[in-house]
Amino acid sequence: MEKLAITGGRRLEGEVRISGAKNAALPILAASLLTDEQVTLGNVPHLRDITTTIELLGRLGVRVTLHEGLRIEVEPGQITHYEAPYDLVKTMRASILVLGPLVARYGRADVSLPGGCAIGARPVDLHVAGLRALGAQIDIEDGYIRARAERLKGTHLLLDKVTVTGTENLMMAAVFADGETVIENAAREPEVADLADFLNKMGARIRGAGSNRIVIEGVRRLHGAEHDVQPDRIEAGTFLVAGAITGGHVRLRHACPDHLEAILSKLRDTGAVIATGTDWVEIDMKGRPASVDISTVPYPGFPTDMQAQFAALNCIAGGVATISENVFENRYMHMLELQRMGANIRLQGHTAVIQGVDRLTAAPVMATDLRASAGLVLAGLVADGVTVVDRIYHIDRGYECIEEKLNQLGASIHRVA
Ligand code: UD1
């Protein structure tokens, strides 16, 4: 199994290009199922989750062509299979995103239940309840969600909890529904808005995406479209923390500062100087960062996908800070690994109290999920010695060329067998 070996102690300096957003590209690829015409997508990141989605589309009968320069052509035509099998869904929960489009266009979908995962139970009950309310008949059998429907019927949906892929699935399901669908308490994440922009380019009638009330007026068909995926705000945030934790000076190109407000505000609180332009962000950190309290909530609040990275930062910061994880249970696996690197962390239920230490020391550590791995890599950047992070397939799911990009900024990080 591949590992990353990181020699700590180097200050990061320079410029890096931010890739397209994984969490926007995944639903947009799934949305291509809603047309039989060609879809061309730009700024698609090269990531394992994208490859998994392309494989899933391929199994449904969709032709996907990869071009140079991060462009993908999808020719959905008429598909022949309607199943997202367990072997793919278990490696990527976001496979659930084909459920809405398949039901909307073909009136049938068999999608494996994702099951538990390393960051808690993560149920999909709201996806299922929403589809039922739109008129789909859904049976859960043999570990599969089996959905059948004639034309769905527009309705009023009030989501019990803010769910990102749930909002996306229901928005896609409703594009062909008869009449108007309203989704209340919708997720406001920028990736939901990017998906809606893409759907509207295909001829959908969606208003309000990016707010907590989305209105979808059903249409009869969607046509092909071209779309560039928005920049990845979590990758951007991770590189900004890499700058802060090493006392560095890092500039991100092709980033979207508007999507980073909660993260930038916390970084300013650490003492970093932040500058922004329309599509760039720069961080300059002099000396040791100050600790910052973090409480994760849905967008526009502080994202759970940046919790592990700020935990790493707090480990070496001046002062004591509290981290509260409110979106997912059991998303603290990295804390135990950070403790093995010498971090002073006390876990109390949903809260971690971190007292910054002067130095972390390298240790062999294990990545347990995507963002936890990013936290461990960041800790490795400042630890004394060579930190070896095992199970980095997690990081390859969501970070494009992470070691190349970090090395470009002056880090010393290598893939080892
Ligand atoms: C998405 C992101 C993920 C991010 C998360 C929260 C993608 C592909 N993934 O995941 O990177 O960490 O948002 O920002 O976009 N819930 C239910 N029932 C449901 C659905 C969700 O109880 O039917 C709960 C979950 O257990 C969790 C909370 O709602 O506690 C939020 O989860 P959700 O927003 O759905 O996460 P994902 O969409 O899976």
Side-chain angles (χ1 to χ4, degrees):
M1 210 169 279
E2 280 186 307
K3 304 178 174 79
L4 283 179
I6 307 147
T7 307
R10 305 196 175 194
R11 179 174 177 271
L12 298 196
E13 185 157 10
E15 195 175 277
V16 71
R17 183 190 188 280
I18 294 307
S19 299
K22 168 177 92 71
N23 286 354
L26 297 179
I28 287 172
L29 277 166
S32 66
L33 288 166
L34 290 163
T35 178
D36 56 6
E37 295 179 15
Q38 181 173 303
V39 162
T40 306
L41 302 175
N43 202 34
V44 179
H46 282 291
L47 297 171
R48 212 164 59 97
D49 275 6
I50 298 292
T51 318
T52 307
T53 305
I54 291 173
E55 187 180 344
L56 175 55
L57 291 177
R59 291 215 208 161
L60 297 171
V62 174
R63 268 232 325 264
V64 181
T65 317
L66 303 177
H67 294 281
E68 291 289 304
L70 314 173
R71 291 193 86 70
I72 290 189
E73 260 168 34
V74 188
E75 288 169 68
Q78 289 289 326
I79 65 164
T80 45
H81 294 80
Y82 310 91
E83 179 176 315
Y86 179 64
D87 66 305
L88 288 180
V89 179
K90 77 170 186 223
T91 62
M92 189 189 67
R93 290 186 88 263
S95 310
I96 188 86
L97 285 165
V98 298
L99 178 63
L102 286 178
V103 175
R105 176 143 176 245
Y106 297 98
R108 61 176 296 181
D110 297 304
V111 178
S112 172
L113 282 166
C117 82
I119 54 172
R122 297 184 80 170
V124 289
D125 54 313
L126 299 172
H127 302 233
V128 170
L131 278 173
R132 281 195 174 124
L134 284 161
Q137 191 209 317
I138 299 186
D139 294 312
I140 310 287
E141 44 179 42
D142 315 322
Y144 274 76
I145 302 170
R146 300 198 190 281
R148 301 289 181 271
E150 299 295 322
R151 190 173 186 202
L152 296 174
K153 216 172 154 8
T155 189
H156 190 268
L157 300 169
L158 172 59
L159 303 182
D160 281 352
K161 252 188 173 182
V162 176
T163 159
V164 178
T165 50
T167 301
E168 292 166 345
N169 239 339
L170 296 171
M171 191 164 80
M172 291 189 281
V175 287
F176 295 142
D178 192 15
E180 192 178 86
T181 301
V182 179
I183 307 178
E184 303 267 12
N185 198 26
R188 287 183 278 172
E189 269 68 2
E191 294 78 13
V192 175
D194 206 23
L195 170 63
D197 283 349
F198 172 64
L199 291 167
N200 284 339
K201 283 182 189 171
M202 294 169 92
R205 295 214 186 121
I206 301 174
R207 311 190 295 278
S211 79
N212 60 5
R213 186 173 191 273
I214 302 177
V215 181
I216 306 126
E217 218 182 293
V219 296
R220 280 288 172 176
R221 66 179 295 275
L222 295 185
H223 49 74
E226 278 193 40
H227 186 76
D228 284 334
V229 175
Q230 68 179 208
D232 195 310
R233 65 196 166 95
I234 304 300
E235 188 200 24
T238 303
F239 278 96
L240 291 172
V241 175
I245 203 169
T246 62
H249 188 172
V250 170
R251 184 183 169 99
L252 312 182
R253 274 187 296 118
H254 203 257
C256 181
D258 288 352
H259 297 166
L260 291 166
E261 272 181 27
I263 297 167
L264 296 181
S265 153
K266 286 294 171 188
L267 285 168
R268 285 194 182 97
D269 292 347
T270 69
V273 176
I274 305 280
T276 60
T278 32
D279 63 351
W280 59 269
V281 186
E282 199 171 285
I283 181 163
D284 191 6
M285 184 81 209
K286 300 231 167 14
R288 187 181 189 187
S291 291
V292 278
D293 292 333
I294 298 291
S295 180
T296 66
V297 278
Y299 192 85
F302 189 90
T304 173
D305 285 350
M306 283 300 299
Q307 181 257 101
Q309 298 87 321
F310 272 78
L313 180 72
N314 277 333
C315 286
I316 54 92
V320 183
T322 302
I323 296 202
S324 304
E325 173 56 59
N326 305 305
V327 178
F328 291 116
E329 54 182 279
N330 204 11
R331 206 177 198 183
Y332 278 151
M333 313 286 249
H334 51 285
M335 300 289 187
L336 307 175
E337 297 300 276
L338 291 168
Q339 281 172 337
R340 297 180 53 249
M341 297 174 74
N344 183 348
I345 303 174
R346 219 161 10 97
L347 287 172
Q348 300 166 328
H350 289 292
T351 304
V353 181
I354 305 181
Q355 162 84 63
V357 294
D358 289 337
R359 322 202 65 79
L360 292 176
T361 43
V365 288
M366 189 86 87
T368 46
D369 69 56
L370 170 53
R371 306 305 170 185
S373 3
L376 296 175
V377 168
L378 293 174
L381 291 176
V382 287
D384 288 341
V386 181
T387 300
V388 177
V389 183
D390 201 349
R391 298 208 180 156
I392 50 151
Y393 57 84
H394 287 295
I395 214 163
D396 292 332
R397 286 188 40 218
Y399 288 90
E400 186 171 47
C401 309
I402 187 157
E403 71 268 39
E404 281 165 40
K405 287 187 177 182
L406 285 170
N407 285 338
Q408 191 182 320
L409 296 172
S412 169
I413 164 165
H414 304 283
R415 220 163 257 255
V416 292

